[in-house]
Amino acid sequence: MSANRTAPQAAAGPGAVAGQVVVGVDFGTLSGRAVVVSVADGTELGTAVHEYTHGSVEHRLPATGAELPPDWALQIPQDWRDVLADAVPRALADAGVAPEQVIGIGTDFTACTVLPATADGTPLCELERFRARPHAYPKLWKHHSAQPQADRINALAEKRGEGWLGRYGGRISSEWQYAKALQLLEEDPEVYAATERWIEAADWIVWELTGAESRNPCTAGYKGIRQDGRYPGRDYLTGLNEAFGDFTEKIDFPLSPLGTRAGGLSARAAAATGLPEGIAVAVGNVDAHVTSAAARALEPGQMLAIMGTSTCHVLNSDVLAEVPGMCGAVKDGVVTGLWGYEAGQSGVGDIFAWAVRTALPESYAAEARERGISAHELLTEKAAAQPVGAHGLVALDWHSGNRSVLVDHHLSGLLLGLTLDTRPEEIYRALLESTAFGTRTIVEAFEAGGVPVTDFVVAGGLPRNRFLMQIYADVLRRPIDVIGSAQGPALGSAIHAAVAAGAYTDIRAASAAMGKVDKAVYTPDPDRADVYDALYREYRELHDHFGRGGSDAMHRLREVRAEARARRHSARQQDDAEVSR
Amino acid sequence: MSANRTAPQAAAGPGAVAGQVVVGVDFGTLSGRAVVVSVADGTELGTAVHEYTHGSVEHRLPATGAELPPDWALQIPQDWRDVLADAVPRALADAGVAPEQVIGIGTDFTACTVLPATADGTPLCELERFRARPHAYPKLWKHHSAQPQADRINALAEKRGEGWLGRYGGRISSEWQYAKALQLLEEDPEVYAATERWIEAADWIVWELTGAESRNPCTAGYKGIRQDGRYPGRDYLTGLNEAFGDFTEKIDFPLSPLGTRAGGLSARAAAATGLPEGIAVAVGNVDAHVTSAAARALEPGQMLAIMGTSTCHVLNSDVLAEVPGMCGAVKDGVVTGLWGYEAGQSGVGDIFAWAVRTALPESYAAEARERGISAHELLTEKAAAQPVGAHGLVALDWHSGNRSVLVDHHLSGLLLGLTLDTRPEEIYRALLESTAFGTRTIVEAFEAGGVPVTDFVVAGGLPRNRFLMQIYADVLRRPIDVIGSAQGPALGSAIHAAVAAGAYTDIRAASAAMGKVDKAVYTPDPDRADVYDALYREYRELHDHFGRGGSDAMHRLREVRAEARARRHSARQQDDAEVSR
């Protein structure tokens, strides 16, 4: 925290009044974070984190204990409310500012995290009759079991020549609104029928704050399929499923531009958070996209990579190009007036965590404990002691599927080059490298598609790993800029709140005053880059072989796995039924 | 041990005298084992194991501490002598028999384990002037750095249409005598020039026992290139390297049939072992091959798999066929009168040990310790709780290269199908399965090549894992017979000693009286076999893609690795030199 927490700010922004603050709240995968920020210059005055009680619900439904099928991931709305009630007042206390100093609140959310709700915004899972129904719960972004629906969405769009498909790189992801909704319809039609609103958590949380529904253009464009002012037509929807024809009615509501005021803080939300009633609530937004403002990466060509559990790439451009395999191109999707591009890697930090869970021997765990460092730090240190390529390994970073450029969540991870000498830190390093290769694949796709990438800026938790960042610099052969804040999304939300409250005229102005970035913190080493080039060639060969039809082994193995697990699942349900009899 | 250790045997073999015993000594990769066996019926009366002081020398030369290049594996001859001096008398004591009851000793060795020696049998590494020279030491079977030489050996043989190449499945292995000798010549010509004998450890140890050189047809055929009574000609050798033309002079000495008497135990060896001077010493032999006699697997069609660190497959047949990718077909190579076939998998138990070293989390290690079971037992138990295919994984068992059917030690291991859910026991199981798939590939190659496989018999340490054996039965869709001895090679050597001593007319008669096997201990389950068929198809697709030219990624990665390690190696040597200055 800054030392001069409560002191009036020296250099206030154009519309900022000394002492004014905004609150940004970032809803992540496992927790939510509130930050209190000076409107004048973006100084972060206080913060608090609230861990979700239920985290990411992947194995059993908390309400009943029933086992979930493979590749599911749900969340519990009350966990989100708890962030507002717990983290916001604590952040205020941490900042030592009075509630009256707060002129606005902004939020950002993981996406596509989407839920079925009634017309008054009540999540269906909170209705007594639906509490035991998994499909009534919010589906977290990494809910990955709607791939069959995504496949049909893409096949039909291609067949019908739907113009919007190219805007999404030719592939709609199973993570997004349409695939998840179609899965809901087909697996639990009763819950689908009761769904009056199919709404992003990003918008639902704003509804919680203002008491009135509002929708944002970012999730509508990137996670819905809204292009050129409209959603896909009824004919297309009924082609997917006769009963899907009414889907647009559940999502098509007026959009408000990013950074504008969605409404005033409701009395109920004011009571819960301790903030003044009526202050500006910014339109909903997405964690990655708001971070562009925090990292001052809003100009055309500046690619921001938000690196954590997964990585999201956000890039603005003054040109519209349809880049194969990118997540989406949305006008005004990041900042009003530019085409916002999004791409992503489904698994990054998640994969490193998997390596620690899976390939960290007892002696390594003991060494890390003894030295008071984390397992990640130990593995990084051991890995960094080796020259590039000495492990002889190459990995595919698809443990959680591939979001860009293949848009296929039924791909899986691969490790090649294993020998009896292969050590855990070598596997760890190969996994670090594989995510850098995944990023390079995305950067090259943008450039080949006509969207120049001039700068590479990183944010999120992973940039703390300096060795990882150097790998990225070497693999990309580019300098790496680093955001100057450890809480980029929350700062970005706060910046949006400042604009919504009228302290700045627009996001670019607010970003220039309140955002923070350190330029060229890492620069590439040509010798290491040469060896990485050789490894990257192997990565690309495997990428294309297993991802583009050379071998369909990953899909077939996933089917074998699904069948085996379905047999076990039904055997267990039989056991449960017998026990309860 | 049998309860009636010293009592006269009830049912003596035809030429056996009650109370007579033989000693079998098995020289393994890390230790040697002596067994004292009743001549009459093969009862194992006593045993002792001696661990080699230096084991497999892979990182630094003990004499100097100098670092070895990658893929080296050496041994120290004194370690072998120590087995004779330590384990043999202890086995006798354990058996409670008097030395006078011993009528013969037989030995078996890993192969190709080969060393340079003088004309009197002194290992060159024991000459003061060569003790610092890595190439003066015995090269262990798993010394894998002569692949470039093996590649040239094969290319030239193919180009010249050498008739013997087909007998080795079309590929001479880098593990064998010629590749290792050519590497010696090219990397240390001075040691090569001093090499008067290039001799298998299997023959060298018999020389130690009798004081006179003898050679056996098994290693000459399988590890040398002796076919139809002769070695490759001088023209071929000089085609490999002008200076290699004299190589035959270092290996071509008279052969004695397997199971015959190489000589009498020398006074020196009698003193060292405590055995009577002059008793029969059987001709040298190979661990896998002698085990056929112990497992009563000498008839045509009976395939014996000796499963341990690696797996060796031995199969007799009355037909000669040239099976692509098999290690070798040698007349009288296993039992006089039949064509003996050999095949193998370079890494099996080694790979499971790698998994325990690499992917055994701390909590698993603690659980195993608490329950007093081994890590292998714990992983097996967890893996066995899953239905076939539920892990969604397929692995290639090439961590130590592929001996059959691809004969390429620069291949490497692969894991495909990894997800964030993948657990250590699933990786472990996929590795168990991959070795069963490797075995199936070999069995199918024999049958497709015209050599029928009627029985599948297992020996070695791994058959103790019942889950693993059931996987093999399911994957092969065959019943599995199991040898009735825990010390098959040593028992096999003892059987050969009994024949050498004249107690039986031939190996088949001795095997019938002294060998032990339990038939059809495991039988396949059709439902599981169906799912394994699906996984095997994936294995074969990857096998052919990465092993047969679809992708050369493994070779390229090994080159990248070798270059990176060579840079580090030379950097370290420079460091060493600077320190010693």
Side-chain angles (χ1 to χ4, degrees), chain B residues 418-443:
Chain B
L418 298 166
T419 71
L420 297 176
D421 292 335
T422 302
R423 292 195 301 274
E425 61 268 31
E426 296 180 317
I427 292 173
Y428 187 79
R429 179 173 181 151
L431 293 171
L432 298 183
E433 291 168 354
S434 73
T435 68
F437 297 147
T439 298
R440 178 165 164 182
T441 305
I442 289 169
V443 170

PDB file of all heavy atoms in Angstrom, chain B residues 418-443:
ATOM      1  N   LEU B 418      -3.080 -36.151 -21.663  1.00  0.00           N
ATOM      2  CA  LEU B 418      -3.013 -35.514 -20.341  1.00  0.00           C
ATOM      3  C   LEU B 418      -4.077 -34.429 -20.192  1.00  0.00           C
ATOM      4  O   LEU B 418      -4.309 -33.644 -21.119  1.00  0.00           O
ATOM      5  CB  LEU B 418      -1.631 -34.887 -20.141  1.00  0.00           C
ATOM      6  CG  LEU B 418      -0.463 -35.874 -20.155  1.00  0.00           C
ATOM      7  CD1 LEU B 418       0.863 -35.141 -20.295  1.00  0.00           C
ATOM      8  CD2 LEU B 418      -0.471 -36.732 -18.897  1.00  0.00           C
ATOM      9  N   THR B 419      -4.706 -34.406 -19.037  1.00  0.00           N
ATOM     10  CA  THR B 419      -5.621 -33.319 -18.712  1.00  0.00           C
ATOM     11  C   THR B 419      -5.277 -32.838 -17.315  1.00  0.00           C
ATOM     12  O   THR B 419      -4.451 -33.443 -16.629  1.00  0.00           O
ATOM     13  CB  THR B 419      -7.095 -33.773 -18.725  1.00  0.00           C
ATOM     14  OG1 THR B 419      -7.318 -34.619 -17.595  1.00  0.00           O
ATOM     15  CG2 THR B 419      -7.445 -34.522 -19.992  1.00  0.00           C
ATOM     16  N   LEU B 420      -5.958 -31.768 -16.899  1.00  0.00           N
ATOM     17  CA  LEU B 420      -5.693 -31.248 -15.558  1.00  0.00           C
ATOM     18  C   LEU B 420      -6.132 -32.242 -14.483  1.00  0.00           C
ATOM     19  O   LEU B 420      -5.712 -32.146 -13.339  1.00  0.00           O
ATOM     20  CB  LEU B 420      -6.402 -29.903 -15.372  1.00  0.00           C
ATOM     21  CG  LEU B 420      -5.900 -28.799 -16.319  1.00  0.00           C
ATOM     22  CD1 LEU B 420      -6.727 -27.537 -16.130  1.00  0.00           C
ATOM     23  CD2 LEU B 420      -4.426 -28.501 -16.083  1.00  0.00           C
ATOM     24  N   ASP B 421      -6.977 -33.214 -14.858  1.00  0.00           N
ATOM     25  CA  ASP B 421      -7.427 -34.255 -13.920  1.00  0.00           C
ATOM     26  C   ASP B 421      -6.453 -35.422 -13.822  1.00  0.00           C
ATOM     27  O   ASP B 421      -6.627 -36.287 -12.964  1.00  0.00           O
ATOM     28  CB  ASP B 421      -8.749 -34.878 -14.406  1.00  0.00           C
ATOM     29  CG  ASP B 421      -9.901 -33.902 -14.340  1.00  0.00           C
ATOM     30  OD1 ASP B 421      -9.820 -32.974 -13.529  1.00  0.00           O
ATOM     31  OD2 ASP B 421     -10.874 -34.090 -15.088  1.00  0.00           O
ATOM     32  N   THR B 422      -5.518 -35.518 -14.737  1.00  0.00           N
ATOM     33  CA  THR B 422      -4.676 -36.712 -14.808  1.00  0.00           C
ATOM     34  C   THR B 422      -3.892 -36.899 -13.515  1.00  0.00           C
ATOM     35  O   THR B 422      -3.180 -35.996 -13.085  1.00  0.00           O
ATOM     36  CB  THR B 422      -3.711 -36.616 -16.001  1.00  0.00           C
ATOM     37  OG1 THR B 422      -4.483 -36.456 -17.188  1.00  0.00           O
ATOM     38  CG2 THR B 422      -2.851 -37.866 -16.105  1.00  0.00           C
ATOM     39  N   ARG B 423      -4.037 -38.067 -12.926  1.00  0.00           N
ATOM     40  CA  ARG B 423      -3.381 -38.328 -11.644  1.00  0.00           C
ATOM     41  C   ARG B 423      -2.184 -39.258 -11.817  1.00  0.00           C
ATOM     42  O   ARG B 423      -2.078 -39.975 -12.824  1.00  0.00           O
ATOM     43  CB  ARG B 423      -4.392 -38.942 -10.677  1.00  0.00           C
ATOM     44  CG  ARG B 423      -5.484 -37.946 -10.256  1.00  0.00           C
ATOM     45  CD  ARG B 423      -6.242 -38.433  -9.044  1.00  0.00           C
ATOM     46  NE  ARG B 423      -6.881 -39.715  -9.286  1.00  0.00           N
ATOM     47  CZ  ARG B 423      -8.085 -39.873  -9.844  1.00  0.00           C
ATOM     48  NH1 ARG B 423      -8.779 -38.812 -10.214  1.00  0.00           N
ATOM     49  NH2 ARG B 423      -8.600 -41.061 -10.037  1.00  0.00           N
ATOM     50  N   PRO B 424      -1.278 -39.264 -10.838  1.00  0.00           N
ATOM     51  CA  PRO B 424      -0.064 -40.077 -10.956  1.00  0.00           C
ATOM     52  C   PRO B 424      -0.352 -41.555 -11.236  1.00  0.00           C
ATOM     53  O   PRO B 424       0.347 -42.181 -12.032  1.00  0.00           O
ATOM     54  CB  PRO B 424       0.609 -39.889  -9.591  1.00  0.00           C
ATOM     55  CG  PRO B 424       0.152 -38.545  -9.137  1.00  0.00           C
ATOM     56  CD  PRO B 424      -1.251 -38.410  -9.630  1.00  0.00           C
ATOM     57  N   GLU B 425      -1.374 -42.114 -10.587  1.00  0.00           N
ATOM     58  CA  GLU B 425      -1.652 -43.536 -10.809  1.00  0.00           C
ATOM     59  C   GLU B 425      -2.134 -43.791 -12.225  1.00  0.00           C
ATOM     60  O   GLU B 425      -2.000 -44.896 -12.746  1.00  0.00           O
ATOM     61  CB  GLU B 425      -2.664 -44.072  -9.791  1.00  0.00           C
ATOM     62  CG  GLU B 425      -4.039 -43.411  -9.814  1.00  0.00           C
ATOM     63  CD  GLU B 425      -4.129 -42.241  -8.841  1.00  0.00           C
ATOM     64  OE1 GLU B 425      -3.088 -41.581  -8.606  1.00  0.00           O
ATOM     65  OE2 GLU B 425      -5.233 -41.988  -8.309  1.00  0.00           O
ATOM     66  N   GLU B 426      -2.694 -42.753 -12.851  1.00  0.00           N
ATOM     67  CA  GLU B 426      -3.144 -42.921 -14.230  1.00  0.00           C
ATOM     68  C   GLU B 426      -1.943 -42.933 -15.174  1.00  0.00           C
ATOM     69  O   GLU B 426      -1.899 -43.711 -16.132  1.00  0.00           O
ATOM     70  CB  GLU B 426      -4.132 -41.815 -14.592  1.00  0.00           C
ATOM     71  CG  GLU B 426      -5.399 -41.898 -13.738  1.00  0.00           C
ATOM     72  CD  GLU B 426      -6.415 -40.822 -14.063  1.00  0.00           C
ATOM     73  OE1 GLU B 426      -6.017 -39.647 -14.242  1.00  0.00           O
ATOM     74  OE2 GLU B 426      -7.614 -41.131 -14.099  1.00  0.00           O
ATOM     75  N   ILE B 427      -0.985 -42.077 -14.898  1.00  0.00           N
ATOM     76  CA  ILE B 427       0.246 -42.101 -15.693  1.00  0.00           C
ATOM     77  C   ILE B 427       0.942 -43.445 -15.497  1.00  0.00           C
ATOM     78  O   ILE B 427       1.390 -44.080 -16.458  1.00  0.00           O
ATOM     79  CB  ILE B 427       1.167 -40.931 -15.267  1.00  0.00           C
ATOM     80  CG1 ILE B 427       0.527 -39.606 -15.681  1.00  0.00           C
ATOM     81  CG2 ILE B 427       2.564 -41.088 -15.868  1.00  0.00           C
ATOM     82  CD1 ILE B 427       1.263 -38.375 -15.176  1.00  0.00           C
ATOM     83  N   TYR B 428       0.998 -43.887 -14.254  1.00  0.00           N
ATOM     84  CA  TYR B 428       1.638 -45.171 -13.951  1.00  0.00           C
ATOM     85  C   TYR B 428       0.949 -46.296 -14.724  1.00  0.00           C
ATOM     86  O   TYR B 428       1.605 -47.119 -15.369  1.00  0.00           O
ATOM     87  CB  TYR B 428       1.558 -45.406 -12.442  1.00  0.00           C
ATOM     88  CG  TYR B 428       2.322 -46.599 -11.933  1.00  0.00           C
ATOM     89  CD1 TYR B 428       3.699 -46.533 -11.756  1.00  0.00           C
ATOM     90  CD2 TYR B 428       1.671 -47.776 -11.598  1.00  0.00           C
ATOM     91  CE1 TYR B 428       4.405 -47.619 -11.266  1.00  0.00           C
ATOM     92  CE2 TYR B 428       2.369 -48.867 -11.110  1.00  0.00           C
ATOM     93  CZ  TYR B 428       3.740 -48.789 -10.936  1.00  0.00           C
ATOM     94  OH  TYR B 428       4.437 -49.865 -10.451  1.00  0.00           O
ATOM     95  N   ARG B 429      -0.377 -46.281 -14.684  1.00  0.00           N
ATOM     96  CA  ARG B 429      -1.098 -47.342 -15.389  1.00  0.00           C
ATOM     97  C   ARG B 429      -0.854 -47.270 -16.898  1.00  0.00           C
ATOM     98  O   ARG B 429      -0.675 -48.292 -17.556  1.00  0.00           O
ATOM     99  CB  ARG B 429      -2.608 -47.244 -15.100  1.00  0.00           C
ATOM    100  CG  ARG B 429      -3.387 -48.311 -15.842  1.00  0.00           C
ATOM    101  CD  ARG B 429      -4.861 -48.353 -15.443  1.00  0.00           C
ATOM    102  NE  ARG B 429      -5.517 -49.417 -16.191  1.00  0.00           N
ATOM    103  CZ  ARG B 429      -6.567 -50.096 -15.757  1.00  0.00           C
ATOM    104  NH1 ARG B 429      -7.085 -49.823 -14.585  1.00  0.00           N
ATOM    105  NH2 ARG B 429      -7.099 -51.041 -16.494  1.00  0.00           N
ATOM    106  N   ALA B 430      -0.872 -46.066 -17.435  1.00  0.00           N
ATOM    107  CA  ALA B 430      -0.628 -45.930 -18.880  1.00  0.00           C
ATOM    108  C   ALA B 430       0.751 -46.478 -19.240  1.00  0.00           C
ATOM    109  O   ALA B 430       0.939 -47.043 -20.321  1.00  0.00           O
ATOM    110  CB  ALA B 430      -0.754 -44.466 -19.300  1.00  0.00           C
ATOM    111  N   LEU B 431       1.718 -46.315 -18.339  1.00  0.00           N
ATOM    112  CA  LEU B 431       3.055 -46.844 -18.604  1.00  0.00           C
ATOM    113  C   LEU B 431       3.057 -48.373 -18.501  1.00  0.00           C
ATOM    114  O   LEU B 431       3.674 -49.048 -19.341  1.00  0.00           O
ATOM    115  CB  LEU B 431       4.064 -46.222 -17.645  1.00  0.00           C
ATOM    116  CG  LEU B 431       4.298 -44.709 -17.855  1.00  0.00           C
ATOM    117  CD1 LEU B 431       5.147 -44.127 -16.735  1.00  0.00           C
ATOM    118  CD2 LEU B 431       4.949 -44.439 -19.211  1.00  0.00           C
ATOM    119  N   LEU B 432       2.379 -48.932 -17.507  1.00  0.00           N
ATOM    120  CA  LEU B 432       2.246 -50.397 -17.443  1.00  0.00           C
ATOM    121  C   LEU B 432       1.656 -50.904 -18.764  1.00  0.00           C
ATOM    122  O   LEU B 432       2.170 -51.834 -19.389  1.00  0.00           O
ATOM    123  CB  LEU B 432       1.315 -50.826 -16.293  1.00  0.00           C
ATOM    124  CG  LEU B 432       1.679 -50.505 -14.838  1.00  0.00           C
ATOM    125  CD1 LEU B 432       0.628 -51.103 -13.885  1.00  0.00           C
ATOM    126  CD2 LEU B 432       3.052 -51.021 -14.452  1.00  0.00           C
ATOM    127  N   GLU B 433       0.564 -50.273 -19.171  1.00  0.00           N
ATOM    128  CA  GLU B 433      -0.126 -50.709 -20.387  1.00  0.00           C
ATOM    129  C   GLU B 433       0.762 -50.583 -21.619  1.00  0.00           C
ATOM    130  O   GLU B 433       0.747 -51.438 -22.502  1.00  0.00           O
ATOM    131  CB  GLU B 433      -1.409 -49.890 -20.580  1.00  0.00           C
ATOM    132  CG  GLU B 433      -2.479 -50.194 -19.539  1.00  0.00           C
ATOM    133  CD  GLU B 433      -3.633 -49.197 -19.519  1.00  0.00           C
ATOM    134  OE1 GLU B 433      -3.547 -48.174 -20.248  1.00  0.00           O
ATOM    135  OE2 GLU B 433      -4.587 -49.418 -18.768  1.00  0.00           O
ATOM    136  N   SER B 434       1.541 -49.489 -21.657  1.00  0.00           N
ATOM    137  CA  SER B 434       2.374 -49.275 -22.853  1.00  0.00           C
ATOM    138  C   SER B 434       3.356 -50.424 -23.041  1.00  0.00           C
ATOM    139  O   SER B 434       3.654 -50.810 -24.165  1.00  0.00           O
ATOM    140  CB  SER B 434       3.114 -47.932 -22.753  1.00  0.00           C
ATOM    141  OG  SER B 434       4.166 -47.984 -21.812  1.00  0.00           O
ATOM    142  N   THR B 435       3.850 -50.990 -21.938  1.00  0.00           N
ATOM    143  CA  THR B 435       4.793 -52.103 -22.098  1.00  0.00           C
ATOM    144  C   THR B 435       4.068 -53.357 -22.570  1.00  0.00           C
ATOM    145  O   THR B 435       4.644 -54.169 -23.300  1.00  0.00           O
ATOM    146  CB  THR B 435       5.548 -52.395 -20.787  1.00  0.00           C
ATOM    147  OG1 THR B 435       4.653 -52.911 -19.797  1.00  0.00           O
ATOM    148  CG2 THR B 435       6.243 -51.145 -20.266  1.00  0.00           C
ATOM    149  N   ALA B 436       2.811 -53.511 -22.165  1.00  0.00           N
ATOM    150  CA  ALA B 436       2.032 -54.652 -22.671  1.00  0.00           C
ATOM    151  C   ALA B 436       1.769 -54.474 -24.168  1.00  0.00           C
ATOM    152  O   ALA B 436       1.823 -55.431 -24.947  1.00  0.00           O
ATOM    153  CB  ALA B 436       0.719 -54.782 -21.904  1.00  0.00           C
ATOM    154  N   PHE B 437       1.503 -53.229 -24.571  1.00  0.00           N
ATOM    155  CA  PHE B 437       1.305 -52.961 -26.001  1.00  0.00           C
ATOM    156  C   PHE B 437       2.601 -53.241 -26.777  1.00  0.00           C
ATOM    157  O   PHE B 437       2.580 -53.750 -27.894  1.00  0.00           O
ATOM    158  CB  PHE B 437       0.856 -51.523 -26.229  1.00  0.00           C
ATOM    159  CG  PHE B 437      -0.484 -51.183 -25.607  1.00  0.00           C
ATOM    160  CD1 PHE B 437      -0.733 -49.908 -25.122  1.00  0.00           C
ATOM    161  CD2 PHE B 437      -1.498 -52.131 -25.522  1.00  0.00           C
ATOM    162  CE1 PHE B 437      -1.964 -49.577 -24.557  1.00  0.00           C
ATOM    163  CE2 PHE B 437      -2.731 -51.818 -24.944  1.00  0.00           C
ATOM    164  CZ  PHE B 437      -2.962 -50.539 -24.464  1.00  0.00           C
ATOM    165  N   GLY B 438       3.730 -52.892 -26.175  1.00  0.00           N
ATOM    166  CA  GLY B 438       5.019 -53.177 -26.804  1.00  0.00           C
ATOM    167  C   GLY B 438       5.214 -54.672 -26.995  1.00  0.00           C
ATOM    168  O   GLY B 438       5.678 -55.130 -28.049  1.00  0.00           O
ATOM    169  N   THR B 439       4.840 -55.451 -25.989  1.00  0.00           N
ATOM    170  CA  THR B 439       4.946 -56.905 -26.100  1.00  0.00           C
ATOM    171  C   THR B 439       4.027 -57.433 -27.198  1.00  0.00           C
ATOM    172  O   THR B 439       4.420 -58.277 -28.006  1.00  0.00           O
ATOM    173  CB  THR B 439       4.594 -57.555 -24.745  1.00  0.00           C
ATOM    174  OG1 THR B 439       5.542 -57.122 -23.764  1.00  0.00           O
ATOM    175  CG2 THR B 439       4.618 -59.065 -24.842  1.00  0.00           C
ATOM    176  N   ARG B 440       2.804 -56.901 -27.237  1.00  0.00           N
ATOM    177  CA  ARG B 440       1.866 -57.359 -28.269  1.00  0.00           C
ATOM    178  C   ARG B 440       2.406 -57.057 -29.669  1.00  0.00           C
ATOM    179  O   ARG B 440       2.264 -57.860 -30.588  1.00  0.00           O
ATOM    180  CB  ARG B 440       0.501 -56.692 -28.051  1.00  0.00           C
ATOM    181  CG  ARG B 440      -0.517 -57.078 -29.105  1.00  0.00           C
ATOM    182  CD  ARG B 440      -1.926 -56.720 -28.682  1.00  0.00           C
ATOM    183  NE  ARG B 440      -2.842 -56.751 -29.819  1.00  0.00           N
ATOM    184  CZ  ARG B 440      -4.134 -56.446 -29.743  1.00  0.00           C
ATOM    185  NH1 ARG B 440      -4.661 -56.104 -28.574  1.00  0.00           N
ATOM    186  NH2 ARG B 440      -4.898 -56.492 -30.809  1.00  0.00           N
ATOM    187  N   THR B 441       3.038 -55.908 -29.813  1.00  0.00           N
ATOM    188  CA  THR B 441       3.626 -55.550 -31.109  1.00  0.00           C
ATOM    189  C   THR B 441       4.664 -56.596 -31.530  1.00  0.00           C
ATOM    190  O   THR B 441       4.738 -56.991 -32.702  1.00  0.00           O
ATOM    191  CB  THR B 441       4.273 -54.151 -31.015  1.00  0.00           C
ATOM    192  OG1 THR B 441       3.301 -53.221 -30.541  1.00  0.00           O
ATOM    193  CG2 THR B 441       4.792 -53.693 -32.361  1.00  0.00           C
ATOM    194  N   ILE B 442       5.446 -57.061 -30.561  1.00  0.00           N
ATOM    195  CA  ILE B 442       6.480 -58.059 -30.848  1.00  0.00           C
ATOM    196  C   ILE B 442       5.857 -59.415 -31.180  1.00  0.00           C
ATOM    197  O   ILE B 442       6.235 -60.071 -32.169  1.00  0.00           O
ATOM    198  CB  ILE B 442       7.445 -58.152 -29.644  1.00  0.00           C
ATOM    199  CG1 ILE B 442       8.294 -56.878 -29.567  1.00  0.00           C
ATOM    200  CG2 ILE B 442       8.313 -59.405 -29.729  1.00  0.00           C
ATOM    201  CD1 ILE B 442       9.087 -56.719 -28.281  1.00  0.00           C
ATOM    202  N   VAL B 443       4.892 -59.843 -30.392  1.00  0.00           N
ATOM    203  CA  VAL B 443       4.230 -61.137 -30.646  1.00  0.00           C
ATOM    204  C   VAL B 443       3.597 -61.118 -32.039  1.00  0.00           C
ATOM    205  O   VAL B 443       3.726 -62.076 -32.817  1.00  0.00           O
ATOM    206  CB  VAL B 443       3.165 -61.425 -29.558  1.00  0.00           C
ATOM    207  CG1 VAL B 443       2.313 -62.627 -29.949  1.00  0.00           C
ATOM    208  CG2 VAL B 443       3.826 -61.657 -28.206  1.00  0.00           C
TER     209      VAL B 443
END
